Amino acid sequence: ATLRAGAGRADITPQTGYYLGGWTRADRLAQGQHTRLYTRAIVLKRGSQKVALVSVDLFMIPGGMVEQIGQELAKRGFSEKNILISATHTHSGPGGYGNFPELNTAAPSVSTVTDPLSFFRLISPLPADAQLYTFLTRQMAKAIARADSRLKPARAGWGYTRLEGITRNRSLEAHLADHGIIE
């Protein structure tokens, strides 16, 4: 059968005020935005089989989220079995949407150390923010649906190459080690 492919994207930039993603400090709140955050999807279909490959500008995808997205897109033939979501692991996106509380940890910081609740929240983090979780889930489903609705004949190929000098390490010690200086 002919391969068909489609691409879609949706904006996942939430309101400001959320903790930034990852095990973070309590004072690391989003106070604005430098760039928008997106989810991008490619749907590949051949015959009756299809798969959604999704990239999302978040630090992680919590357990159960892919299943919920699949349930939302069931009428389009998707489930957790044919949706693959990969997070870019940015720590500049929101946190606080993990369905396991330990994923929503915010450690005390200099500005919050006088607040006894900041230590309690380290040991007993807040549950997921349901509004943020729902927003992210719906936007990822929207990107997949957009890709699915844009299917056109396609060809697939792959290859590899070696790229040097493209990335930079932000650690000074690692940068120096790249040049043979061990500090």
Side-chain angles (χ1 to χ4, degrees):
T2 302
L3 176 67
R4 297 172 59 81
R9 137 182 131 152
D11 192 318
I12 60 164
T13 310
Q15 300 173 12
T16 58
Y18 288 104
Y19 291 109
L20 296 180
W23 288 293
T24 189
R25 295 186 327 247
D27 63 346
R28 289 196 67 229
L29 299 176
Q31 298 176 1
Q33 68 183 40
H34 182 263
T35 58
R36 308 289 303 171
L37 302 172
Y38 290 98
T39 181
R40 297 161 181 89
I42 295 175
V43 171
L44 302 173
K45 181 178 181 182
R46 189 172 71 187
S48 62
Q49 295 183 333
K50 62 177 148 182
V51 64
L53 307 174
V54 184
S55 169
V56 62
D57 292 333
L58 296 172
F59 79 101
M60 62 94 183
I61 300 296
M65 186 176 265
V66 177
E67 181 179 2
Q68 288 184 329
I69 293 167
Q71 290 170 356
E72 191 168 326
L73 296 170
K75 289 181 181 177
R76 289 183 168 271
F78 289 103
S79 73
E80 74 277 5
K81 295 179 181 178
N82 63 346
I83 298 172
L84 176 66
I85 300 179
S86 178
T88 62
H89 197 77
T90 181
H91 286 260
S92 295
Y97 59 91
N99 54 357
F100 296 105
E102 58 272 7
L103 298 174
N104 302 323
T105 300
S109 59
V110 173
S111 64
T112 64
V113 76
T114 57
D115 177 10
L117 278 178
S118 67
F119 288 97
F120 175 73
R121 286 190 193 112
L122 178 63
I123 298 165
S124 183
L126 295 171
D129 182 299
Q131 184 176 354
L132 178 61
Y133 183 92
T134 301
F135 167 73
L136 295 172
T137 301
R138 287 188 178 151
Q139 291 302 96
M140 284 184 256
K142 186 183 289 185
I144 296 168
R146 285 176 177 164
D148 190 47
S149 67
R150 297 174 179 159
L151 292 173
K152 295 191 181 199
R155 291 178 20 184
W158 58 89
Y160 71 93
T161 189
R162 185 177 177 125
L163 297 174
E164 295 188 23
I166 296 295
T167 60
R168 299 280 184 248
N169 193 317
R170 29 178 210 209
S171 162
L172 179 59
E173 291 82 6
H175 175 73
L176 292 172
D178 287 344
H179 300 281
I181 303 169
I182 306 302
E183 289 289 325

